[in-house]
Amino acid sequence: MALTASEVRVARDGTSGGGALVRTDPIRTAAIAMIVISVLWRAQIASRGFLAADDYVMITQASESDLTGGYLLSLYNNHFMPAGRLIIWLVTSAFGLTYWPYVLLMAVGQAVLSVAFYRLLRTLLRPSRLLLVPLGLLLFSPLTLEATSWWAVGANMLPMQLAMVLALGSQLKYVRTGRKRHLVSLVLSVLLGLLFFEKALLVVPLVFLFTACFLTDGGPVRAALTTLRRWWPSWLALTTLVAAFFGVYLLRSESSLRRPESIGEVVSFLSQLIGSTLVPGLLGGPWGWLGAGDGAPVVAPPELGRWIAWTFMAALVVFTVRRDRTAGRSWALLSGYLVLVAVLLASTRLGSVYSGVAGGVPRYVSDVVVVAAICIGVALVGIARPVPAGSAPAAPAEPAPPTDPVSAVEPEPARQPEPVAPRRPVAALSSRVGVIHAETPYDPEIEPAGQLEPEPTPEPGPASLGPEPAPETTSEAGSTSAVDDGSVARPAPGPDTAEPGPREPAPPPPDWLAGVPERYREVVTAGLVLVLLAAMLGTAWTTSRYSDEWALKFGRSYLDTARIELASAPPDTVFFDTPIPPAVIPELSWPYNLQSRFFAAAGARPVFVHETENASVLDGLGRVQVATIEGSSIRPGPQEGCGYLVGDGQTVRMPLDKPRDDWFWIVRIGYLSSSDGTAVLRLGQGSHEFPVKKGLNQRFFEISGGGDAVELTVSGPAISLCTNEISIGNPIPKPE
């Protein structure tokens, strides 16, 4: 088979496959390795744990529902997540109450997010090995561990993070090329996030801030106005999408807004959120965790670690801004998005019983990690500007006869010099106060010269999505750039008539030690390496400690034990439908914390009854035990050896040692009867009739009511009933 010239060059270099990739693009090779390591590591951490709290509730709801629009559009804790509900329904229908499918789904989601983020960095940033720094921040930050291990979090956060990355990439390509398909992909990206999490609404202001800070020149006001005017189709499309979403969401939701109890509560929350969670988390922290039952742990950073993290973050901001004042735009973008997140959390999480720890929950800032990684990357590396599509390289020279033993070498076809492919305008290199763009080797969204299809020039008018023409000025190098329009990037759907020229050389990588005297450079370099190494070790330590905390799952042990016990229990073993331990599902999740609903998708379900002579109960470890009642009991009766004597047609009042609130209770009555008959027990407004058998017996039954006494009425031919054992409360294991 004939070989192309590029294949011959690879053969002559003695490299192929992975070796050629490492030599030609070591950054991509390192990125692939980092992504693979991150996905496998996070999957191993997730597999050590199990389902937790909200997972059980959502799986139960899926097992009880048909796949209907009403189910998909229903809210969970006021969260709108139809796509997440669809996935849970499909997994539950196929596999039941199990965890491994969700581990697989989270690993796939993380891999897709990682690849998309890497592609965004390659498109946005200058070519530099420092590109691996923001990539590593997103891949390994402990602040995103919940999103890759706890399904209830990952089902919301991973799609939102992916939507953020895809939306920013689409907006960047739309600004650079003006192509309408990127506008469509922008809307679809935001829609993807909204189908999983209503918090994805924050993607819209993020796209605006991204455009104003990174793709537009001028001061804050000028940049904002230019962003609104220049790329109004983006804001029109996104506003329409948001309005439609609110129309669906507000019809089904209840207000989640809360009012903080005091200014001190807000200050404490912000101190936790930024000082103890976000800043240490961006630098490998928090280095310590506080267990929170089966759920993910909350941060517990040491005081020294907090101060070190803040010191390093402040030094990074000062260093990048002094090196390049335009880096301040990166920190402005990060600060702006952080304000949006803080306001949203303060208005929905404070003023509740959990407000004291709300600022220490990492999942609340998982989306901020994406923005922080992008901003740190821009501050360190700088923004790239694409190479003009018409700047084609010179035609290759005629291939020389092969000197190595390769038969029938087929040269690569050369491009036809005519006709000249139309060029698209690209971002101008600005020397004013703003973002300094550097050239990237390629723009993946712009086809090579000679392959572009010329697009018709749009007619002038407000309906055109292309930007309005602007005066051009010729630079010393002979290139043209838009001036005095407030915009760095000037997309245009129409062709550019400029003749293609040779590829401009890429600017050299930044000299990070330009301001450091030569004699100190080795020391400074060694210090930076030590800081990076410390951050990596801190991340590994924090992740390892999280993994240990996540592996402790009481719910898994309870479920496994219950399955074994139920499979070996006698056929007549019955239970009352009572809540499972709060350590598995909190009491606030009622009625989905009832055993009947918890075991709905578990395969081995207990037999639940409303009345029985002999009841069993699952103890706190999931073991089947003989049941008794814990709660209120009647005071001892006046008849010695009998307690309370009740005859045919009589009603006897029996006071309780402790009053019972009006609620759903289980009653146990032990009695001695002279004959068969019936009895009625009353508790406040509630009553229950049950059969009476001759001899010494007991009866368990449900009742709904409350009060400080019970009344018992019996009926039957010549019946007399003695009882001194009536208990009202909840079933517990009978002491041995």
Side-chain angles (χ1 to χ4, degrees), residues 50-57 99 150 152 294-296 550 553 584-585:
F50 196 67
L51 303 168
D54 297 318
D55 297 332
Y56 296 118
V57 177
Y99 182 51
W150 188 356
D294 272 13
W550 180 248
K553 286 291 174 284
V584 181
I585 300 181

Side-chain angles (χ1 to χ4, degrees), residues 249-270:
Y249 178 71
L250 295 179
L251 289 176
R252 297 177 173 270
S253 67
E254 298 178 359
S255 177
S256 297
L257 298 179
R258 293 188 176 96
R259 185 174 182 178
E261 296 180 356
S262 64
I263 297 296
E265 183 184 21
V266 176
V267 173
S268 176
F269 165 74
L270 294 177

Side-chain angles (χ1 to χ4, degrees), residues 424-448:
R424 297 185 182 278
V426 299
L429 183 63
S430 172
S431 60
R432 298 169 294 178
V433 177
V435 180
I436 303 299
H437 293 269
E439 184 178 345
T440 189
Y442 62 89
D443 183 358
E445 282 304 315
I446 301 180
E447 292 85 355

Side-chain angles (χ1 to χ4, degrees), residues 543-681:
T543 304
S544 177
R545 299 286 71 77
Y546 176 92
S547 178
D548 293 340
E549 290 285 347
W550 180 248
L552 302 176
K553 286 291 174 284
F554 181 78
R556 173 175 52 195
S557 301
Y558 178 86
L559 180 60
D560 291 344
T561 302
R563 281 171 167 167
I564 296 173
E565 290 278 315
L566 293 172
S568 60
D572 59 348
T573 303
V574 295
F575 304 83
F576 286 99
D577 190 11
T578 56
I580 65 171
V584 181
I585 300 181
E587 296 177 350
L588 292 176
S589 298
W590 190 89
Y592 295 102
N593 65 333
L594 295 175
Q595 291 180 1
S596 60
R597 295 193 162 187
F598 175 77
F599 288 105
R605 296 183 60 181
V607 177
F608 297 104
V609 296
H610 301 286
E611 183 175 351
T612 183
E613 291 183 357
N614 297 290
S616 298
V617 65
L618 290 171
D619 66 10
L621 300 178
R623 299 173 300 183
V624 177
Q625 303 282 352
V626 176
T628 187
I629 301 299
E630 179 184 53
S632 301
S633 300
I634 59 174
R635 300 182 184 277
Q639 301 290 331
E640 184 177 356
C642 177
Y644 294 92
L645 177 61
V646 186
D648 180 22
Q650 292 182 340
T651 298
V652 177
R653 186 177 187 275
M654 308 173 191
L656 298 173
D657 59 357
K658 293 181 294 185
R660 292 278 93 183
D661 294 331
D662 194 356
W663 190 244
F664 172 84
W665 305 110
I666 307 297
V667 176
R668 176 192 175 272
I669 177 172
Y671 62 89
L672 176 63
S673 177
S674 62
S675 62
D676 295 343
T678 60
V680 176
L681 184 139

Side-chain angles (χ1 to χ4, degrees), residues 39 115 148 182 216 299 306 322 348 356 449 468 507 653 657:
V39 172
V115 173
T148 56
H182 297 312
T216 308
V299 301
R306 291 178 65 251
R322 290 192 62 180
T348 57
E468 60 218 45
R653 186 177 187 275
D657 59 357

